[in-house]
Amino acid sequence: MRKHETPEALKLDHQLCFPLYAAARKITGAYTPYLKELGLTYTQYLVMLVLWETDEISVTEICRRLCLDSGTLTPLLKKMEAAGLLLRSRSLEDERSVIITLTEKGTALRDDAAPIPGKIGGCVPLSAEDAKELYRILYLIIGDTKTQE
């Protein structure tokens, strides 16, 4: 039996997945009270971040940016459309593609959301250097080579 196949390998403290999962839950939970005030879930907030950066974007591109599949994203977008935050329409160039566009209400929500990153930053006990290194490592894990500026 190889070392990685022993019961020792199955200890919770030896699992990289656990601290990633627990940290993600902690960070996501920190967003909850701020997002509740805006009427958004955490995943909806991520969609809004993409749209505030790039309006009139395809569902396919949002899926790529957020590492989500369309089966997860489509019901979320329908709810957000019903809430008046965005519009879904077929692309004129390719009717198979759905384009997402912010409404005035969705655009205006950006001003209300602007303080959130600063509030969350104060909840994370990392130095700026450690945060930058963690950011780099996490993007390596998800297969992207972004660098924080």
Side-chain angles (χ1 to χ4, degrees):
M1 199 179 279
R2 290 179 266 178
K3 184 177 181 179
H4 67 277
E5 295 174 349
T6 66
E8 183 74 16
L10 293 175
K11 287 188 174 182
L12 183 62
D13 289 344
H14 295 176
Q15 308 303 310
L16 177 61
C17 61
F18 177 69
L20 286 170
Y21 166 78
R25 283 186 41 88
K26 185 173 182 174
I27 296 293
T28 303
Y31 278 89
T32 300
Y34 304 114
L35 297 178
K36 192 172 187 176
E37 290 176 15
L38 302 180
L40 296 175
T41 65
Y42 181 73
T43 309
Q44 290 172 334
Y45 174 67
L46 295 178
V47 169
M48 295 304 290
L49 291 175
V50 170
L51 291 171
W52 290 326
E53 190 176 318
T54 309
D55 196 5
E56 296 185 24
I57 187 171
S58 71
V59 170
T60 303
E61 182 60 15
I62 296 171
C63 287
R64 186 194 68 75
R65 297 271 318 270
L66 297 179
C67 302
L68 295 172
D69 60 65
S70 62
T72 300
L73 193 59
T74 299
L76 187 82
L77 293 171
K78 286 180 180 179
K79 275 186 169 180
M80 294 174 77
E81 183 176 39
L85 299 173
L86 55 84
L87 297 172
R88 298 176 310 125
S89 59
R90 294 277 169 198
S91 166
L92 298 177
E93 290 86 34
D94 180 358
E95 67 179 37
R96 296 170 298 176
S97 182
V98 175
I99 303 300
I100 305 301
T101 308
L102 283 170
T103 61
E104 283 184 30
K105 180 178 177 181
T107 300
L109 195 60
R110 177 178 28 204
D111 291 338
D112 295 331
I116 293 174
K119 291 175 180 178
I120 297 302
C123 298
V124 180
L126 294 176
S127 69
E129 289 175 2
D130 286 346
K132 189 173 182 178
E133 181 64 5
L134 178 59
Y135 183 93
R136 185 191 67 75
I137 290 168
L138 291 173
Y139 270 99
L140 281 174
I141 290 171
I142 63 173
D144 198 332
T145 56
K146 290 188 183 327
T147 56
Q148 193 172 18
E149 297 166 15

